[in-house]
Amino acid sequence: MSKQIWAYIDHFKGEPLMPSWEAIGAAQMLAEKLGGEAVAVILGNGMDAAVQAAFHYGAAKVIVADDATLADYRPEPYAETLAAAAAEHNPAVILFPTTTRGRELAAMAGAALDAGVIADIIDMDVVDGKIVTTRPVYAGKLLAKAVAEGEPQIISLRVRAFAKPEADESRSGEVVKVAAALSEDDIATKVVEYATTEGGVSLTEAAIIVSGGRGVSNNPDLAPPPDITDENEIEVWRAKQGFKLIGELAETLGAAVGASRAAVDAGYIPYEHQVGQTGKVVSPDLYIACGISGAIQHQAGMRNSKVIVAINTDPEAPIFKLARYGVVGDLWKIVPALNEAFKKKLGKA
Amino acid sequence: MKILVFVKVTPDTAATVKVDEAGNVTWGDAPLVLNPWDEYAVEAALQTKEAHGGSVTVVSMGDESALEAIRRALAMGCNDAIRIEDPALAEDDSLSTAKVLKAVVEKIGDVDMVFFGRQAIDGDTGLTPPQTARLLGWPYIGLVAAFREIDPDGGQFTAERTIEEGRQVLSSRLPAVVSVAKDFGEPRYPSFMGIRKAARAKVPVWSLADLGLEAPAVKVRLPELQNPPKREVVCEFIEGDTPEEIAEKLADKILAEKVL
Ligand SMILES: Cc1cc2nc3c(=O)[nH]c(=O)nc-3n(C[C@H](O)[C@H](O)[C@H](O)COP(=O)(O)OP(=O)(O)OC[C@H]3O[C@@H](n4cnc5c(N)ncnc54)[C@H](O)[C@@H]3O)c2cc1C
Ligand SMILES: Nc1ncnc2c1ncn2[C@@H]1O[C@H](COP(=O)(O)O)[C@@H](O)[C@H]1O
């Protein structure tokens, strides 16, 4: 029997998250090097479309538990079903995308199977038949090689660290059904409701991010409406105008909007947008930092971006040490001009 | 309610962390602090106690340096503390840590809620909280942003947790394990009295023998730590007489990188 390399497909209400496909790509890579097959594992309810998509992205086989108890992600039924399926099929490796659910489930599967778990890796290689992973530690200030003993080896992949395979709609394969491990009566945790945030590009998955910092409120010439007199309210009002400019550039580029902690703490923009050690860790192809000084805690969240562009009035700002391109100038002037330039060049004018 | 909060000591976020020639991790004279994510867990544990009565015990596994984290949590208002140390625990991974923490919860007994931070900023794994929950066989709600209800008598609670898509609202039974997200709200500063009390507190140390435990196997090894490769970038500063000219040049440079 050939080795199974599993890729867990994370989804929300049946809609797979993009990094799940990256996991299939990584599973294929391991299957080639270790001798085995890439198997997608899907837990949910009404997952036929996801199963087909997993084949399109390169799974040789799909293991699926399709059951009403799995309609919503909850740790207990998901972890137990996954562990039971693993006990039955003995995968050599289980890969997860490091999404919120993926990380949690990797951890619980490890505890259920008494197996080592390596979280949030950015690279891996097979050396003498062993998987040697690389993961950032201390917020990326160091890199650690990590190896798990025994089987299955449970590994979660940093989002966007592994290439997403091309989809090929002609591919299909064998579907293996497994049962849900728990009945509804055995599950203590119930979903009450969701409070979802309105659309927009997810920061961790974004290929392009335009971020704003404290500089986004720094436009003394901009006169607030007469009914706003409080100093703090004026600052926040100015910042909202500044983030409007950032948002327009982001829209032109199909980018997500990020922020520094200073911008979040000052109430310019909600915490979901924070990039950094205590916010989101991102690795887009392009990161444009506007009015951000580049404190070490901010760098921890974005230093792995491919191309970094910084716009800052202070030529000594540490962000320029990371940046490929820099503009020493006022973001209030540069950002709108850059938006116009891109609109023209990308044919969006 | 009997509440536990697990915390870890970590180098300050501003520390310059490096691997020295002997292969050891160093951070110069940067201070050790309560793991920043654990501050939110302590805050959430204290708010729960304030709303429902009872006590909060702070627990950390680690050598004497863990006292830095413990004393901060005590100064914030935790009632008492326990430190876990044993020579056999010199090496650990998240699962071996979770096995020890599970034994702590069981030895203390009658615990209603266990609070964790989101992740420790040294190893950055975030695995220990769900693993401890799974080993205990208790419900787990990760990345809690708010509690809607905690009903100790009815043994139920409802929490909002943060997910990529927004918030998932879950209800479950007690006892339970939770980890706390930053959305919970700013952690309090220790009071002057709190700091004085924490400085004087005696913190008992439990060994593996006290927990009736053999050292759990460590399955994840870190054969090598490296300083990351220097980012080989020299910043090219784009200049021009007008913002439009600068923007024009910058847009062309970015387009030439083929990242759009
Ligand atoms: C425990 C801990 C965790 C932290 N976690 C994070 C984190 O996750 N993420 C994070 O970002 N920070 C984090 N920080 C905070 C971090 O240390 C910095 O304080 C923060 O990143 C600074 O944000 P900023 O660059 O927007 O503000 P500042 O440092 O104030 O920089 C503003 C910049 O804008 C420039 N500027 C001003 N006006 C203009 C203008 N008109 N046009 C162009 N440029 C202008 C200025 O020159 C300056 O460089 C953390 C700190 C601690 C202690
Ligand atoms: N040695 C430890 N002692 C006590 N709590 C810990 C320890 N290590 C981790 N934790 C807890 O587990 C959380 C996640 O840590 P980690 O899984 O290491 O990222 C931390 O925020 C702490 O709440």
Side-chain angles (χ1 to χ4, degrees):
Chain A
M1 215 178 73
S2 80
K3 277 187 182 160
Q4 291 196 350
I5 315 293
W6 282 13
Y8 176 77
I9 308 301
D10 184 31
H11 65 91
F12 181 65
K13 295 185 184 297
E15 196 68 53
L17 272 66
M18 186 270 289
S20 305
W21 312 136
E22 297 167 1
I24 293 185
Q28 278 179 313
M29 184 275 284
L30 283 182
E32 262 166 49
K33 292 194 177 172
L34 294 169
E37 55 182 0
V39 177
V41 180
I42 300 179
L43 315 184
N45 194 209
M47 300 306 294
D48 292 349
V51 169
Q52 289 316 313
F55 286 126
H56 299 162
Y57 282 103
K61 197 183 268 177
V62 177
I63 293 178
V64 56
D66 205 317
D67 191 88
T69 56
L70 302 170
D72 289 282
Y73 170 83
R74 290 174 290 172
E76 304 142 270
Y78 268 62
E80 298 319 311
T81 302
L82 191 72
E88 186 182 337
H89 293 276
N90 293 312
V93 183
I94 313 180
L95 302 179
F96 293 82
T98 313
T99 56
T100 302
R101 291 172 289 261
R103 190 195 289 258
E104 188 171 292
L105 209 48
M108 291 196 150
L113 299 165
D114 202 28
V117 184
I118 307 178
D120 207 21
I121 70 160
I122 56 167
D123 199 6
M124 65 179 153
D125 205 358
V126 175
V127 182
D128 300 330
K130 274 207 150 187
I131 302 172
V132 180
T133 65
T134 305
R135 59 185 307 268
V137 292
Y138 294 93
K141 292 170 192 169
L142 302 182
L143 293 178
K145 299 272 187 217
V147 180
E149 281 160 16
E151 280 193 357
Q153 299 179 58
I154 300 178
I155 297 169
S156 88
L157 313 175
R158 176 164 293 184
V159 174
R160 290 182 51 77
F162 293 83
K164 180 176 123 187
E166 292 290 329
D168 174 351
E169 306 225 334
S170 70
R171 280 197 283 243
S172 73
E174 185 194 348
V175 177
V176 180
K177 294 209 156 94
V178 293
L182 301 181
S183 68
E184 193 55 47
D185 292 346
D186 296 328
I187 305 167
T189 306
K190 310 289 176 195
V191 177
V192 178
E193 62 175 336
Y194 289 93
T196 41
T197 39
E198 77 289 352
V201 190
S202 129
L203 261 186
T204 35
E205 288 182 33
I208 305 172
I209 295 173
V210 187
S211 276
R214 209 197 303 269
V216 162
S217 67
N218 183 19
N219 185 351
D221 299 342
L222 197 66
D227 56 317
I228 303 183
T229 49
D230 179 83
E231 277 302 319
N232 280 336
E233 282 176 33
I234 291 174
E235 180 187 331
V236 170
W237 179 83
R238 286 203 174 108
K240 298 236 150 103
Q241 314 310 307
F243 266 111
K244 214 180 272 168
L245 301 179
I246 303 246
E248 283 161 9
L249 175 58
E251 193 175 327
T252 302
L253 298 176
V257 173
S260 71
R261 171 161 163 182
V264 171
D265 284 354
Y268 301 173
I269 188 164
Y271 169 62
E272 291 103 84
H273 294 272
Q274 184 180 317
V275 171
Q277 188 160 13
T278 50
K280 298 213 163 73
V281 177
V282 299
S283 38
D285 296 329
L286 175 62
Y287 188 91
I288 305 182
C290 311
I292 293 179
S293 61
I296 192 160
Q297 296 96 344
H298 189 77
Q299 292 188 16
M302 46 67 78
R303 56 152 57 92
N304 282 326
S305 308
K306 217 183 257 166
V307 176
I308 296 169
V309 175
I311 301 167
N312 196 306
T313 42
D314 174 10
E316 303 297 326
I319 190 79
F320 288 122
K321 297 223 161 44
L322 289 183
R324 176 75 190 84
Y325 301 107
V327 175
V328 178
D330 187 346
L331 72 91
W332 288 83
K333 302 200 171 85
I334 304 294
V335 171
L338 192 59
N339 184 30
E340 288 310 316
F342 273 124
K343 268 194 187 156
K344 209 169 63 198
K345 289 173 200 290
L346 297 170
K348 291 186 177 173
Chain B
M1 292 180 79
K2 203 158 168 183
I3 298 165
L4 295 192
V5 57
F6 282 114
V7 303
K8 192 173 185 187
V9 72
T10 57
D12 187 66
T13 56
T16 306
V17 182
K18 286 206 175 95
V19 181
D20 67 13
E21 272 151 33
N24 296 318
V25 179
T26 62
W27 46 84
D29 49 16
L32 284 165
V33 299
L34 171 61
N35 173 33
W37 295 113
D38 295 349
E39 288 190 25
Y40 299 95
V42 172
E43 178 62 36
L46 292 173
Q47 284 188 25
T48 304
K49 175 188 87 166
E50 285 153 6
H52 303 284
S55 70
V56 179
T57 301
V58 54
V59 182
S60 187
M61 177 181 119
D63 62 20
E64 275 196 4
S65 69
L67 284 170
E68 293 288 339
I70 288 175
R71 291 206 197 282
R72 173 85 185 190
L74 285 171
M76 286 171 74
C78 292
N79 299 76
D80 48 19
I82 299 164
R83 186 164 68 83
I84 313 298
E85 189 182 13
D86 196 293
L89 293 172
E91 241 197 315
D92 62 17
D93 62 10
S94 65
L95 189 53
S96 71
T97 303
K99 286 175 182 171
V100 175
L101 303 190
K102 169 199 185 243
V104 172
V105 176
E106 287 175 343
K107 180 175 163 78
I108 291 174
D110 295 326
V111 172
D112 296 296
M113 277 185 103
V114 177
F115 288 76
F116 278 93
R118 174 196 185 113
Q119 66 193 54
I121 63 159
D122 47 8
D124 279 326
T125 84
L127 301 171
T128 314
Q131 292 190 318
T132 308
R134 174 60 180 72
L135 295 173
L136 284 163
W138 290 8
Y140 176 68
I141 301 185
L143 304 184
V144 167
F147 289 114
R148 286 205 178 163
E149 194 203 1
I150 299 177
D151 173 9
D153 300 323
Q156 289 285 323
F157 75 113
T158 303
E160 293 180 18
R161 81 183 208 107
T162 61
I163 54 174
E164 277 80 353
E165 297 80 13
R167 289 194 180 173
Q168 185 185 33
V169 186
L170 296 166
S171 71
S172 198
R173 67 167 146 73
L174 297 172
V177 176
V178 301
S179 81
V180 180
K182 189 181 169 187
D183 307 60
F184 200 89
E186 279 310 296
R188 68 195 64 190
Y189 283 101
S191 65
F192 180 67
M193 284 302 287
I195 294 170
R196 291 221 345 214
K197 210 174 121 227
R200 285 198 304 260
K202 287 253 179 301
V203 178
V205 180
W206 290 359
S207 67
L208 284 174
D210 293 323
L211 293 168
L213 208 65
E214 301 273 318
V218 173
K219 292 163 196 276
V220 176
R221 310 219 170 250
L222 307 181
E224 199 184 329
L225 278 162
Q226 315 165 331
N227 295 306
K230 279 256 173 311
R231 244 190 111 87
E232 301 280 341
V233 286
V234 182
C235 184
E236 183 178 339
F237 285 96
I238 313 290
E239 294 170 353
D241 293 331
T242 63
E244 288 71 28
E245 189 189 334
I246 295 170
E248 188 74 22
K249 284 192 205 165
L250 179 58
D252 283 334
K253 291 281 184 193
I254 294 172
L255 286 168
E257 293 279 348
K258 303 220 177 304
V259 287
L260 290 187

